Amino acid sequence: MTDSEAHKDDELVFLDEHESGPAIEAPRKSWRVLIVDDDPDVHSTTELALRNTLILNRPLSFLHAYSASQTRELLANEGDIAVILLDVVMENEDAGLRLVKNIREDFGMSETRIILRTGQPGYAPEIDAIRDYDINDYKTKSELTRNKLYTTLTAAIRSFDQIRAITTSRRGLDLIVHASAELMALHGMRNFAAGVITQIAGLLGLRPEGLVCAQDAMDEESPESGPTIIAAAGRHTALINQPLSSIADATLREGLLRCMRERQNIYDEAGTLLFFPSQASARGDMAAFLETDDRLDETDRRLLEVFCANIAVGFDNAALFSRLHAFAYYDQLSRLPNRTHFINQIDRRLANPDHAGFVLGLVDIDHFAETNDALGHLFGDRLLQEVATRLKQSLGSQVTVARVAGDTFGLLGPAERMSPSILIALFQEPFRVDGQDLMVSATCGLLNLADSNTSGAEALKDTNIALKRAKQRSRGEVSFFTRAMGIEIQERVMLLQALRHAFDNERLFLVYQPQVDLATRRVVGLEALIRWRAENGAFIAPDRFIPLAEHSGLIVNIGEWVLRVACHQQAWLARMGFGHVRMAINVSVSQFRHPKFPFVLRRAIEDSGADPACIELEITESMAMEEADFLLLTLNKLKENGITVAVDDFGTGFSSLSYLQRLSVDRLKIDRAFVNEITDSQRGSQIPEMVIQLGHRLGLSIIAEGVEDAAQAQRLQELGCHEAQGYHFARPMEIGPLLEWLQNR
Ligand code: C2E
Ligand code: CA
Ligand code: CA
């Protein structure tokens, strides 16, 4: 019989006893003695002789059999027999001896002590039986006087008791070794704790009724939260996840608290309380309660002590694993699942056939970075915690809430619980942080899982597209992911691939748009503008592909190429007699930020032999607004080459006067949008007027772009604008036609 079978048997015995109640409680406490003899007199005299006798403090109870076959029948149904007083000669000469073989081998009763009683001693088969079949005593019937019988039985019962204790503890130790191995394999505190209940129940042959509570080692910030029930079995199951303090059963509650306080095992009438100290963390201790009817006997207690000591290591393992798990899968600030965990949860949901009714959401707090900067990171953290709490509480248990990035929360739940109106309502009330009420808005991207049969990671990506789209439209919006969005992203990816290909295959080229002096109408400069002619001959507008190139970093290489070509053309035009004409070159943000950019510029000028005084860089106003120190440094370094700098798209940003003064720029370029608005009315020319006045005050030159008609040119000139560029004067041209154009003027 294997250990686990033995353990099952124990359980069965236990169940039977439990159900039939205390009626057969008595025989359990007495020593059961089986008298086997074909002479009824022997039965009655033996019983009479031993009546009211206590052996090792317990009474005796008797079972009777009058033949070998009857004994076999009886043994098939009865167990827990301490001693068998066995007659040798019954149905036949050696019926008793053959019965010994049955008892030991067929019934597997190795613990029961057998005392042979025989008429004639020294009979050879009896000697063999004693040798071969573990017979514990051998007495002639005449020898067994009352006293002799008593001492013989006492010796037999004592050895039965010892053997049984040893067997029990050996089996227990086997179980412990087995249990430890099994518990080691269980990761996580909850699994471990549940395992402890089952293993102990198995060890003691009890029904797994019990519970385990633990001080949450993870919860270092709120020690006042107290122990919680982390595992429970049987009728205690409903208590899982409850704080210990909320448990109604006072014996249970106080018992567990006492056990944790005293840090030791307690064996009580009410049950057994085991303490598992954690070495890994001061607060990770665990206590278990098991229902045990009676006080446990010594053997069981010793087994439990061994068990507790033995699994302490496993417990620390589990505690450590739990913490690692928490670190790997939970956000420490909000205690919500993190991105990795959330993706797993989406994967699991997608694998479930009912996922079509579910919605995936991303909630992004608007202007969180600004709040964080303005009110401090601690405040920002608290705000995030408040948002996390509201999301969890308002959306309810059916919606999974996760924190997937700094100020972005992930939601996964049934569609009806996550409608746009529900989500918008979440942010209608202010959040209370540090005693302050703060209105916070959020933007949401949503995805119907029905529209996604890929992976969790992909679904999250699509939801992010919807979020970005919602942000582009306006903050505080909710936007559902649509197929069109997916297609658009795909198109962008394809366009980027095509752009790489075009760049490598020299399908990009530059055109040049003249810039004129408004007073003299002489050409003073050119702006280099990039063009892409696709394989099919169609032009792709730079407004479409430049942002893509920026985004992918390809702009660094493209930008360097533009710089070099434009410098070469400036040098070439100088040789053709247009040495005074400036060459304005657009520089994008990532190009400008690249640490090698000043070096790239210098090399382009040197290699081409261009006149640095005729090279102008156009940076956008939005660029001019960021990172003042960095910008100042870079601009100064660039200007060491003798070049000039213009601020493009001026008027669209919010540059401050003093800031512009610190920046060593030479020219402001009034954005096309404002030039467009210039009419005869005063209102339309307000901004150009302001920009021009500003420029004058700062001693900067002003150029207007996108001048399309004479009226605009006229008005700009009246306002004091120095230079202009636009279709009214000339369209951008390739270098050949440009030279012709210049020569014809
Ligand atoms: P931008 O720097 O503001 O360039 C001026 C844009 O206005 C050019 O468009 C030009 O063709 C257009 N334009 C000129 N005159 C008129 C006019 O009278 N009316 C109208 N409606 N438009 C006019 P383009 O060439 O399509 O370039 C668009 C944008 O692409 C540029 O805006 C610039 O931001 C970017 N870009 C172009 N070439 C380069 C380049 O080589 N490098 C970088 N980084 N960006 C470039
Ligand atoms: Ca420009
Ligand atoms: Ca512009």
Side-chain angles (χ1 to χ4, degrees):
M1 208 190 270
T2 67
D3 282 342
S4 64
E5 283 167 29
H7 153 186
K8 266 182 220 142
D9 282 355
D10 280 357
E11 243 167 27
L12 284 178
V13 167
F14 165 75
L15 291 179
D16 287 341
E17 282 170 1
H18 228 257
E19 266 135 40
S20 41
I24 56 160
E25 194 72 358
R28 211 181 159 203
K29 303 228 163 145
S30 60
W31 302 114
R32 286 158 53 93
V33 176
L34 169 61
I35 303 169
V36 182
D37 208 304
D38 54 355
D39 180 355
D41 282 351
V42 173
H43 288 266
S44 49
T45 50
T46 308
E47 209 174 332
L48 197 71
L50 295 170
R51 197 169 45 198
N52 300 330
T53 311
L54 289 182
I55 293 181
L56 302 180
N57 277 327
R58 289 211 221 162
L60 302 174
S61 64
F62 297 95
L63 299 161
H64 303 274
Y66 299 88
S67 67
S69 58
Q70 204 187 355
T71 308
R72 279 189 283 271
E73 264 167 47
L74 186 139
L75 290 180
N77 301 312
E78 298 284 346
D80 196 28
I81 294 169
V83 181
I84 301 177
L85 292 167
L86 184 58
D87 187 18
V88 175
V89 184
M90 288 178 291
E91 293 100 315
N92 48 52
E93 285 239 307
D94 60 349
L97 293 177
R98 266 190 279 146
L99 197 54
V100 173
K101 190 172 147 75
N102 288 150
I103 293 167
R104 295 294 190 221
E105 291 178 0
D106 303 335
F107 292 103
M109 296 169 66
S110 54
E111 294 157 16
T112 304
R113 302 295 82 200
I114 301 174
I115 299 168
L116 275 185
R117 289 204 286 192
T118 177
Q120 322 102 304
Y123 175 54
E126 291 165 8
I127 311 267
D128 288 346
I130 291 170
R131 192 188 59 218
D132 296 342
Y133 293 119
D134 183 23
I135 284 165
N136 311 103
D137 219 335
Y138 176 88
K139 293 277 167 342
T140 58
K141 284 184 180 172
S142 55
E143 254 183 303
L144 287 177
T145 58
R146 188 179 183 276
N147 276 349
K148 265 270 170 65
L149 196 57
Y150 175 77
T151 46
T152 306
L153 262 184
T154 304
I157 285 174
R158 180 174 287 129
S159 85
F160 167 76
D161 192 36
Q162 283 166 351
I163 288 170
R164 202 178 48 173
I166 291 167
T167 321
T168 312
S169 60
R170 193 196 306 123
R171 203 174 52 212
L173 288 172
D174 276 350
L175 277 176
I176 288 170
V177 171
H178 195 72
S180 313
E182 273 189 4
L183 286 170
M184 289 291 184
L186 294 175
H187 290 313
M189 282 305 293
R190 275 160 210 284
N191 284 336
F192 181 82
V196 165
I197 301 176
T198 13
Q199 297 296 348
I200 294 181
L203 189 65
L204 302 179
L206 300 174
R207 215 199 302 249
E209 289 270 4
L211 54 85
V212 178
C213 72
Q215 206 98 35
D216 191 354
M218 273 315 297
D219 221 6
E220 264 144 38
E221 273 144 41
S222 47
E224 73 278 9
S225 64
T228 46
I229 307 301
I230 54 169
R235 63 190 180 84
H236 300 293
T237 313
L239 298 176
I240 293 180
N241 283 339
Q242 305 286 326
L244 178 57
S245 56
S246 77
I247 288 175
D249 185 336
T251 341
L252 204 60
R253 187 182 61 236
E254 295 311 317
L256 280 164
L257 283 172
R258 195 181 131 208
C259 179
M260 289 197 118
R261 203 169 46 237
E262 293 179 6
R263 305 176 62 82
Q264 60 176 15
N265 298 349
I266 300 169
Y267 303 97
D268 234 344
E269 297 288 355
T272 299
L273 293 149
L274 302 176
F275 180 71
F276 301 89
S278 167
Q279 265 91 55
S281 117
R283 254 207 291 279
D285 299 340
M286 186 169 103
F289 168 85
L290 273 119
E291 243 161 61
T292 39
D293 295 342
D294 306 307
R295 267 176 199 275
L296 294 178
D297 66 23
E298 260 313 297
T299 316
D300 283 340
R301 285 192 197 191
R302 249 178 285 139
L303 279 178
L304 283 183
E305 308 282 342
V306 175
F307 178 82
C308 293
N310 206 44
I311 66 158
V313 182
F315 174 45
D316 277 342
N317 244 6
L320 191 65
F321 185 87
S322 281
R323 297 181 74 183
L324 286 177
H325 186 273
F327 276 117
Y329 292 107
Y330 287 86
D331 164 52
Q332 297 306 300
L333 177 72
S334 62
R335 313 250 153 190
L336 295 174
N338 63 15
R339 184 189 177 81
T340 317
H341 193 24
F342 190 51
I343 289 175
N344 289 342
Q345 287 170 318
I346 307 168
D347 276 331
R348 232 170 296 145
R349 176 52 63 194
L350 283 171
N352 193 316
D354 74 349
H355 72 258
F358 277 72
V359 163
L360 178 61
L362 283 174
V363 175
D364 188 274
I365 300 175
D366 297 336
H367 309 296
F368 180 75
E370 285 93 321
T371 311
N372 222 17
D373 288 344
L375 300 171
H377 288 252
L378 226 74
F379 188 91
D381 283 355
R382 299 243 170 83
L383 175 61
L384 288 174
Q385 285 168 334
E386 287 303 315
V387 173
T389 311
R390 180 168 307 172
L391 290 176
K392 268 195 89 73
Q393 283 176 354
S394 309
L395 294 171
S397 59
Q398 286 185 52
V399 178
T400 302
V401 181
R403 183 170 174 219
V404 296
D407 58 346
T408 311
F409 294 90
L411 308 175
L412 177 64
E416 68 275 11
R417 313 230 79 240
M418 279 177 56
S419 69
S421 59
I422 292 179
L423 297 181
I424 288 170
L426 289 171
F427 293 88
Q428 298 295 310
E429 295 287 314
F431 289 85
R432 195 158 186 87
V433 182
D434 287 351
Q436 290 184 58
D437 277 340
L438 192 73
M439 279 309 289
V440 171
S441 76
T443 308
C444 308
L446 298 176
L447 169 80
N448 276 315
L449 283 196
D451 295 341
S452 171
N453 28 29
T454 50
S455 65
E458 284 297 318
L460 202 59
K461 233 188 256 171
D462 286 348
T463 316
N464 202 28
I465 292 170
L467 174 64
K468 277 194 182 150
R469 186 53 50 90
K471 278 194 205 168
Q472 279 165 11
R473 278 213 302 263
S474 98
R475 298 270 167 165
E477 276 229 9
V478 178
S479 169
F480 260 103
F481 176 81
T482 59
R483 284 203 72 75
M485 291 182 196
I487 289 166
E488 197 188 301
I489 298 287
Q490 237 171 1
E491 277 174 0
R492 280 168 60 105
V493 171
M494 276 163 60
L495 191 66
L496 180 60
Q497 273 168 356
L499 177 60
R500 282 214 169 89
H501 187 80
F503 181 53
D504 292 342
N505 291 279
E506 297 171 6
R507 297 204 67 88
L508 301 181
F509 60 99
L510 296 185
V511 291
Y512 305 87
Q513 186 176 33
Q515 302 174 327
V516 299
D517 184 304
L518 276 173
T520 64
R521 301 290 158 131
R522 283 187 47 172
V523 177
V524 287
L526 301 164
E527 180 179 6
L529 294 162
I530 197 165
R531 292 292 175 265
W532 172 11
R533 191 185 290 120
E535 312 266 324
N536 64 7
F539 283 100
I540 297 158
D543 283 333
R544 256 188 91 199
F545 70 84
I546 291 290
L548 255 181
E550 280 242 21
H551 200 70
S552 63
L554 191 58
I555 195 68
V556 174
N557 288 335
I558 293 182
E560 179 173 356
W561 172 82
V562 170
L563 205 60
R564 295 182 70 83
V565 173
C567 284
H568 268 280
Q569 300 300 37
Q570 193 282 327
W572 182 75
L573 286 174
R575 289 198 294 276
M576 303 307 286
F578 298 95
H580 61 284
V581 179
R582 230 169 37 222
M583 178 68 79
I585 305 162
N586 292 289
V587 178
S588 73
V589 190
S590 38
Q591 200 184 351
F592 190 76
R593 281 212 196 112
H594 199 283
K596 281 211 171 132
F597 184 62
F599 170 74
V600 166
L601 173 69
R602 181 156 11 104
R603 204 173 50 184
I605 293 171
E606 282 169 7
D607 289 357
S608 61
D611 175 6
C614 282
I615 297 296
E616 180 157 287
L617 299 184
E618 290 192 5
I619 62 170
T620 59
E621 191 188 8
S622 54
M623 255 161 93
M625 283 309 294
E626 46 181 348
E627 301 153 62
D629 293 341
F630 165 78
L631 193 68
L632 222 69
L633 234 99
T634 313
L635 276 180
N636 287 339
K637 206 182 287 170
L638 292 175
K639 293 206 70 178
E640 280 169 14
N641 292 300
I643 57 141
T644 54
V645 174
V647 180
D648 207 350
D649 303 339
F650 195 78
T652 53
F654 309 91
S655 320
S656 78
L657 241 162
S658 58
Y659 186 61
L660 278 176
Q661 237 161 352
R662 280 174 67 206
L663 290 182
S664 30
V665 298
D666 304 272
R667 213 179 315 281
L668 301 182
K669 205 168 179 185
I670 303 176
D671 192 62
R672 195 160 70 227
F674 304 116
V675 174
N676 254 336
E677 281 172 20
I678 294 181
T679 52
D680 295 324
S681 86
Q682 284 292 95
R683 239 176 127 242
S685 51
Q686 249 173 7
I687 291 178
E689 203 179 326
M690 264 166 52
V691 173
I692 291 161
Q693 282 173 7
L694 178 70
H696 282 268
R697 227 174 302 146
L698 293 173
L700 301 176
S701 164
I702 310 291
I703 182 168
E705 69 177 353
V707 178
E708 291 184 351
D709 56 45
Q712 288 168 346
Q714 173 75 29
R715 180 86 187 115
L716 283 162
Q717 197 183 351
E718 284 165 14
L719 291 173
C721 181
H722 309 114
E723 299 173 359
Q725 172 187 347
Y727 297 165
H728 175 59
F729 305 102
R731 296 211 165 226
M733 293 167 272
E734 286 189 57
I735 192 73
L738 173 80
L739 182 64
E740 225 171 285
W741 185 87
L742 285 172
Q743 283 164 344
N744 286 339
R745 253 178 100 89

